[in-house]
Amino acid sequence: MRVTNPIMEIDMPDIDIIRVNDMYYMVSTTMFVTPGAPVLRSGDLVHWEITSYIFNVIEDNPGYRLEEGKNAYGQGQWATSLKYYEGKFYACFACNDLQKTYIYSTDDIEKTGWERITLDGIYHDMSFVFEDGHVYLVYGNGEIRIVELESDLSGIKCGGVQRLLFSTPKEGIGLRCEGCRWIAKDNFHYFFFIDWPTVGRKRRRVICYRSAQLLGDYECKVLVDDDMGFFNNGIAQGTLIDTKEGEWYAMLFQDHGAVGRIPYLMPVTWEENWPVLAPGGKIPRSFETSFEEYKAEPLIISDSFSYEKDCLKPQWEWNHNPVPGGWSLTKRTGYLRLFSKVPAANLMEARGTLTQKTESPYSSFTIEIDASGMKPQEFAGLTAFQGTYGSVGIRAQEKGAFAVEVVKGKLGQGETVEISVPIKSGQCFLRIDFDYCELKDRAAFYWSYDGENWETIGTQLQMKYTLDLFIGYRIGIFCYGNKTGGYADFRNFIFQNKISGKGALSDSASGVK
């Protein structure tokens, strides 16, 4: 099978991968959306599908419910470490906002909702380490520390190892080593990090520290300093994984503008017990593998919303914890119904926004909306969701009137109606096109009476990847208002990802390149 980089152009940051027999499992970061910490499955390291989520919610508190003016934007699950140990699966991540670190475990990695224990404090960007019956977390930013866990991973071991492991350079470095990932091979311990120099090429790179003894002296080496010609955005942070036959691969990610952080795969060779990820300093654009192609379900999907029970497909995630009773797939056959149950002044305060990831270089999303159940001033539709956002939807007005509107907003700064166009009924089609090509990072808004003849509405949104949310742009379906009590019905959600000769985007259900 031939592999071409990047292996997908979908937000998939903070990668960790394990292998169990011939199957690979990968975890990634989804921050504050729920369910969260997706576990993906692959048989070839290229074609991935969502098999489960580590948690349904992190905490059920005002911040994660978007109540009392609180939120968890830019917070939540960060950089999970994933391991298989003595017949059990373990995952660990820190929540900066909660000042806690969580260790989750399960016997079945393909089941959502794992058991967990909670540690006080933040073990930043940690990695599990297993040696001679001992279990450790190695963590930190610049000052890399190690702490020993109980043998069953139930907590910090009383009297166990807890010390500084090594310090990484400060001079000429803007971001010191973090994003720890560990492997052991041929009597060496290897720790992989990113750092970000302020001198030289001034981009993210991969640093490896190794030692023959876990608590011994470490030497380091720069493994990757390459952007593959993409705007000096260094490809870095990730891990190495072996195959059953003894081959090695590395998976790293790259900042790719508003779509998010996307993964690259590369073959690994070994020279003098150092891994070689980028021969001659260059990550390969393409290469051959011995894998047979794995038939994976797409990571982004179209959805008819024809369900027999209230259970969404795993590609869907909510903005924060969903409102109990705030949505239904069964109240009206073939429709997603979103209720406006909690007052919200803008999209960033609105609970019950349902999201999927988007894909570079192009993504288009279309949906049919029936707003006849909405109350005056409630607003429902589609949104290009990030800290700087744009939405197209129907606003219910007095006396049964409706208008199609484009609304623009920013987290912490509210939102404004850019344009409002009266329409003859509360039923129409809505569309948002995302153009990420060469970092254009623009979203355009459309509406239609019949789903075939489209009218542009409003101005394009200049999308920006910002750390206030710390995720790539998503498509969102929403319904909210200052006053509540109504609902909107949605059906025939269609994802498209190719440009046709007429400038429209052609149908595709594939989320994997």
Side-chain angles (χ1 to χ4, degrees):
M1 185 184 76
R2 189 157 191 84
V3 175
T4 300
N5 276 315
I7 59 169
M8 66 180 83
E9 295 187 68
I10 297 171
D11 191 34
M12 200 66 65
D14 303 336
I15 300 156
D16 203 5
I17 302 173
I18 61 173
R19 177 179 60 83
V20 181
N21 298 318
D22 291 326
M23 191 61 68
Y24 300 89
Y25 295 97
M26 175 171 68
V27 67
S28 182
T29 294
T30 48
M31 308 298 288
F32 53 88
V33 299
T34 59
V39 176
L40 295 90
R41 174 180 60 196
S42 176
D44 61 14
L45 293 173
V46 175
H47 302 91
W48 294 89
E49 60 189 348
I50 300 169
T51 185
S52 65
Y53 286 89
I54 291 172
F55 61 84
N56 284 302
V57 299
I58 298 175
E59 296 290 355
D60 187 22
N61 63 23
Y64 284 83
R65 293 195 300 265
L66 285 174
E67 292 177 351
E68 302 174 10
K70 299 177 181 179
N71 64 68
Y73 290 120
Q75 305 294 335
Q77 169 245 356
W78 284 39
T80 301
S81 178
L82 181 66
K83 285 291 182 285
Y84 182 62
Y85 175 66
E86 294 187 346
K88 232 178 164 180
F89 297 92
Y90 292 91
C92 185
F93 63 83
C95 284
N96 292 346
D97 54 321
L98 300 171
Q99 296 290 297
K100 295 183 183 297
T101 298
Y102 299 99
I103 297 177
Y104 287 79
S105 63
T106 185
D107 295 321
D108 182 0
I109 195 171
E110 299 188 6
K111 177 183 176 182
T112 292
W114 301 11
E115 297 179 359
R116 83 173 192 196
I117 64 112
T118 303
L119 307 178
D120 290 329
I122 297 171
Y123 295 89
H124 176 72
D125 280 12
M126 80 300 291
S127 181
F128 286 118
V129 175
F130 302 91
E131 185 186 55
D132 298 331
H134 295 270
V135 187
Y136 307 89
L137 295 179
V138 173
Y139 63 99
N141 170 219
E143 305 301 307
I144 306 304
R145 305 190 66 85
I146 184 169
V147 62
E148 188 172 359
L149 301 175
E150 296 287 356
S151 59
D152 61 358
L153 283 71
S154 60
I156 304 301
K157 184 176 181 179
C158 182
V161 173
Q162 192 165 357
R163 50 162 277 194
L164 180 71
L165 194 58
F166 52 82
S167 294
T168 68
K170 298 179 182 179
E171 187 174 352
I173 304 295
L175 177 68
R176 297 174 70 194
C177 281
E178 66 174 19
C180 182
R181 292 290 179 256
W182 165 84
I183 67 164
K185 182 182 183 295
D186 297 336
N187 299 315
F188 279 97
H189 292 274
Y190 297 90
F191 290 98
F192 303 96
F193 302 92
I194 64 161
D195 75 356
W196 198 327
T198 56
V199 296
R201 291 172 174 156
K202 301 181 181 179
R203 64 190 181 203
R204 294 161 57 104
R205 59 186 187 175
V206 179
I207 308 294
C208 178
Y209 281 76
R210 78 172 187 186
S211 175
Q213 296 180 335
L214 179 61
L215 301 179
D217 296 327
Y218 281 80
E219 55 185 333
C220 72
K221 187 174 184 178
V222 177
L223 297 186
V224 178
D225 186 0
D226 186 21
D227 70 343
M228 291 188 70
F230 191 77
F231 301 96
N232 205 40
N233 290 348
I235 298 169
Q237 191 167 344
T239 192
L240 274 61
I241 189 71
D242 66 343
T243 70
K244 197 174 181 180
E245 293 71 30
E247 298 174 327
W248 284 85
Y249 293 89
M251 183 91 79
L252 309 174
F253 71 77
Q254 180 182 47
D255 293 340
H256 234 255
V259 76
R261 299 174 284 173
I262 66 174
Y264 290 71
L265 184 71
M266 57 217 69
V268 174
T269 58
W270 296 83
E271 295 180 3
E272 298 179 348
N273 288 315
W274 286 103
V276 178
L277 282 63
K282 297 295 182 182
I283 294 171
R285 178 66 65 180
S286 63
F287 57 93
E288 291 290 338
T289 74
S290 59
F291 290 115
E292 293 185 5
E293 182 175 331
Y294 180 73
K295 302 300 182 182
E297 292 295 317
L299 296 176
I300 304 172
I301 59 167
S302 300
D303 201 331
S304 67
F305 296 124
S306 295
Y307 294 77
E308 294 182 356
K309 57 183 180 179
D310 290 332
C311 183
L312 287 156
K313 294 178 180 178
Q315 291 84 352
W316 292 106
E317 294 174 283
W318 298 96
N319 172 23
H320 288 64
N321 298 353
V323 183
W327 62 281
S328 174
L329 295 164
T330 56
K331 292 288 186 182
R332 183 179 180 186
T333 302
Y335 285 81
L336 165 70
R337 177 166 292 182
L338 294 181
F339 296 92
S340 175
K341 298 193 72 169
V342 180
N346 56 68
L347 179 74
M348 306 312 288
E349 297 177 5
R351 296 185 65 184
T353 299
L354 188 61
T355 75
Q356 283 195 55
K357 296 182 179 184
T358 59
E359 181 181 34
S360 179
Y362 305 103
S363 295
S364 179
F365 300 91
T366 304
I367 205 163
E368 184 178 355
I369 181 173
D370 181 351
S372 58
M374 291 166 56
K375 302 294 184 182
Q377 298 310 309
E378 290 177 341
F379 184 46
L382 291 178
T383 184
F385 182 77
Q386 226 271 8
T388 298
Y389 62 89
S391 306
V392 59
I394 291 183
R395 178 89 60 184
Q397 299 177 331
E398 301 294 336
K399 298 180 180 179
F402 298 94
V404 173
E405 296 184 350
V406 168
V407 168
K408 303 281 183 66
K410 188 173 183 180
L411 177 63
Q413 298 183 19
E415 64 186 28
T416 58
V417 176
E418 182 179 271
I419 186 172
S420 182
V421 178
I423 56 175
K424 59 188 179 184
S425 75
Q427 297 179 358
C428 73
F429 295 80
L430 306 170
R431 188 176 104 204
I432 301 180
D433 291 354
F434 296 79
D435 184 353
Y436 297 109
C437 187
E438 293 299 312
L439 291 184
K440 289 178 183 175
D441 289 351
R442 295 185 299 225
F445 308 95
Y446 305 84
W447 77 279
S448 169
Y449 278 124
D450 57 13
E452 295 182 3
N453 300 289
W454 292 94
E455 294 187 27
T456 304
I457 183 169
T459 61
Q460 293 185 358
L461 172 71
Q462 184 62 59
M463 297 184 288
K464 301 176 183 178
Y465 185 96
T466 51
L467 302 189
D468 49 6
L469 266 63
F470 222 149
I471 60 173
Y473 269 82
R474 289 174 170 247
I475 186 69
I477 308 172
F478 64 85
C479 178
Y480 66 90
N482 275 319
K483 296 181 180 180
T484 61
Y487 60 85
D489 287 338
F490 301 88
R491 70 172 179 175
N492 295 333
F493 176 85
I494 299 173
F495 163 55
Q496 308 165 297
N497 70 350
K498 301 288 183 184
I499 289 288
S500 74
K502 296 182 180 180
L505 297 174
S506 62
D507 288 337
S508 173
S510 173
V512 180
K513 187 175 178 179

